[in-house]
Amino acid sequence: SYEVTQPPSVSVSPGQTATITCSGDALQRQYAYWYQQRPGQAPVLVILQDRVRPSGIPERFSGSNSGTTATLTISAVQADDEADYYCQAADRTTTFVVFGGGTKLTVL
Amino acid sequence: QLIESGGGLVQPGGSLRLSCEVSGFAFSRFWMSWVRQAPGKGLEWVARIKSAGSEKDYVDSVKGRFVISRDNAKNILYLQMNSVRVDDTAVYYCVRHLDTPPGGYFDYWGRGTLVTVSS
């Protein structure tokens, strides 16, 4: 089981907005982080500390955290955004890193 | 740049040592971790080590079997895998671990090395 839960899949048409959620008690008073993993590649950090974009990540990527639900929003989705997206937080008991199960974003 | 090596096929109960050569940043100043991904599955944090190597933590499933270590003079991170099991089969990523402890996140990732445990 996962400390944080994501939907297995999300589908969106090009140009539309994709919303991927991440829920769990681990997000209470903890930052959420998001990674993009394209097929056959290593993950890439796209959002840190709930809403901060690392250098080089397009402004189309944004994040938020309401306390028990973190959200990754991708605006004006492109075919190149098709990938698996993982949220990450910290276990409230051990303080170790925990990942969600991942969400496969399909661009129709 | 993080370059992992040492992966391969190993029998259940056997041992393997993974290495990660690091360049491009001051390796000795940062916590480092190993993250793994079983085939077709999600990501799992495995172990972390403090900059000087004085503190180490492990996920419960590998505690007592895996040992993380580092050589700051050579800029190399290691993962000694002992008593491996079939469910240790995964791609193992070397990652730089920031804002830890507690929690934290991973900003630099290697390309990974595949470990297959099978008889």
Side-chain angles (χ1 to χ4, degrees):
Chain A
S1 65
Y2 297 101
E3 298 284 337
V4 288
T5 303
Q6 301 178 234
S9 62
V10 167
S11 298
V12 64
S13 299
Q16 299 299 306
T17 297
T19 300
I20 300 174
T21 58
C22 176
S23 302
D25 290 343
L27 294 168
Q28 291 185 1
R29 295 185 295 278
Q30 301 276 356
Y31 284 128
Y33 304 85
W34 292 92
Y35 301 86
Q36 175 195 66
Q37 186 179 34
R38 296 189 175 102
Q41 298 185 19
V44 172
L45 179 70
V46 294
I47 293 289
L48 63 104
Q49 295 176 350
D50 294 338
R51 60 181 66 247
V52 178
R53 277 181 293 103
S55 174
I57 300 302
E59 291 183 9
R60 301 184 296 104
F61 288 80
S62 62
S64 64
N65 185 352
S66 69
T68 55
T69 300
T71 302
L72 173 68
T73 302
I74 309 172
S75 305
V77 166
Q78 302 173 359
D80 191 46
D81 297 329
E82 189 162 281
D84 292 325
Y85 291 84
Y86 293 91
C87 71
Q88 179 240 296
D91 182 277
R92 296 179 69 193
T93 302
T94 66
T95 75
F96 297 156
V97 162
V98 291
F99 289 97
T103 298
K104 181 176 181 59
L105 176 64
T106 299
V107 181
L108 301 171
Chain B
Q1 193 173 15
L2 297 85
I3 301 176
E4 302 94 338
S5 61
L9 178 64
V10 59
Q11 293 188 339
S15 297
L16 204 63
R17 188 175 82 158
L18 307 184
S19 299
C20 172
E21 295 188 35
V22 175
S23 60
F25 64 87
F27 175 72
S28 63
R29 293 175 51 194
F30 294 92
W31 285 74
M32 298 292 294
S33 278
W34 289 95
V35 172
R36 68 183 177 183
Q37 185 172 35
K41 302 298 184 182
L43 302 169
E44 179 183 41
W45 169 79
V46 174
R48 70 182 178 191
I49 184 169
K50 193 174 181 179
S51 52
S54 53
E55 294 182 35
K56 306 174 185 182
D57 294 297
Y58 302 90
V59 69
D60 282 348
S61 59
V62 309
K63 204 172 295 184
R65 301 188 299 121
F66 290 12
V67 178
I68 188 172
S69 63
R70 63 194 297 162
D71 185 333
N72 285 345
K74 296 181 178 179
N75 287 0
I76 300 178
L77 177 72
Y78 300 102
L79 185 68
Q80 177 67 43
M81 305 171 62
N82 301 320
S83 303
V84 296
R85 308 187 304 219
V86 171
D87 61 359
D88 292 323
T89 295
V91 173
Y92 285 75
Y93 294 102
C94 167
V95 295
R96 189 171 79 167
H97 196 156
L98 299 184
D99 285 0
T100 193
Y105 65 99
F106 313 114
D107 64 338
Y108 291 163
W109 295 68
R111 290 191 170 188
T113 186
L114 176 62
V115 173
T116 302
V117 182
S118 174
S119 55

